[in-house]
Amino acid sequence: MEPGEAAPSPAAEEKGRGEEDDDFGYRLFPDRNKKPQSFLVRSLFTFHNRCQLMLRMTLDTNPYAQLLLEAMKQSGCTVFNDRHFSCENCDGCVSGGFDSATSQIVLCQNNIRHQSHMNRVVTHELIHAFDHCRAHVDWFKNVKHLACSEIRAANLSGDCTLMNEIARFKFGLKGHHQTCVRDRAIRSILAVRKISKETAEKAVDEVFDACFNDLEPFGRIPHSKTDAKRAFRDFQNRDRYNANL
């Protein structure tokens, strides 16, 4: 999970949520421990309605999200809007998280304020969900696994596009994209794990090359929505080709 953006909110293991939950970042998602509100109550809150509308727009029109949804479906992990997404209030400045205990993506309705932000958050979290679907990710005990998924999410979700970096007043020349991915992965780990910065940096550096170059299911680094559309088209064509073999 990543402050100000999106990343995986780690999930609790089957041992109850006590003091150790704080190590997994649940303190940032207080609504995870509350009973679901009725539809009538939720409909009265503008944040929730706005979140649901923006989510629907992302799932219907965003090529990053559409590619990931199709890839997950083909991997046997079909995503359903009502089941796998939850608009909730969150603490701090986090924007979203992936709760692996429930296979649910949390969208921070009080912190996501515009459509482009929602697009990035949903994409980022769907990459974590895709990793959870296709691999045996140990989100809790293996920080390298978490680091790998954070690297992939920062690399493939559009978090580190040139325009986003300019908006953050960060500029660079050669290698700036890799620097952004590394920095954001480290920040995400530190947001949900009570470990030292040195430990987080070591985990990221040890898996960086392999995970940075793992471009599934995009097949390329999508630096823009145009790139994502091409990747989605190529993914669909690849499937048609494989079906004819």
Side-chain angles (χ1 to χ4, degrees), residues 144-165:
K144 290 183 182 179
H145 286 192
L146 176 61
C148 187
S149 193
E150 289 295 354
I151 290 166
R152 281 177 32 77
N155 189 29
L156 301 173
S157 68
D159 286 351
C160 288
T161 61
L162 178 61
M163 294 307 298
N164 284 333
E165 282 292 89

Side-chain angles (χ1 to χ4, degrees), residues 1-30:
M1 183 261 320
E2 183 174 347
E5 294 293 342
S9 151
E13 294 176 288
E14 297 299 324
K15 58 182 179 184
R17 296 176 180 173
E19 293 181 358
E20 291 198 21
D21 290 342
D22 202 52
D23 294 340
F24 297 146
Y26 269 105
R27 66 196 180 281
L28 301 171
F29 302 88

Side-chain angles (χ1 to χ4, degrees), residues 8 20 25 27 31 36 43 50 52-53 63 97 138 159 178 185 191 195-197 239 242:
E20 291 198 21
R27 66 196 180 281
D31 283 1
S43 67
R50 183 179 63 186
Q52 290 285 351
L53 289 172
D138 187 345
D159 286 351
Q178 289 90 331
I195 60 177
S196 68
K197 185 177 181 180
D239 295 334
N242 290 337

Side-chain angles (χ1 to χ4, degrees), residues 118-134:
M118 176 64 80
N119 292 343
R120 290 201 313 275
V121 173
V122 170
T123 300
H124 191 119
E125 301 311 328
L126 279 173
I127 291 170
H128 293 310
F130 176 75
D131 288 347
H132 185 69
C133 172
R134 70 169 182 155

Side-chain angles (χ1 to χ4, degrees), residues 11 44-45 65 82 85 97 107 111 127 141 167 196 199 217 220 235:
L44 295 176
F45 292 91
D82 293 340
F85 293 94
L107 301 170
N111 293 330
I127 291 170
K141 297 179 181 179
S196 68
T199 299
R220 70 184 77 192
F235 183 84

Side-chain angles (χ1 to χ4, degrees), residues 4 12 52 90 95 130 135 146 150 164 174-176 182 193 198 212 214-215 226:
Q52 290 285 351
C90 306
S95 300
F130 176 75
L146 176 61
E150 289 295 354
N164 284 333
K174 186 176 180 181
H176 181 72
R182 180 182 181 274
R193 290 291 184 273
E198 291 73 20
F212 183 84
D214 180 0
L215 305 179
T226 299

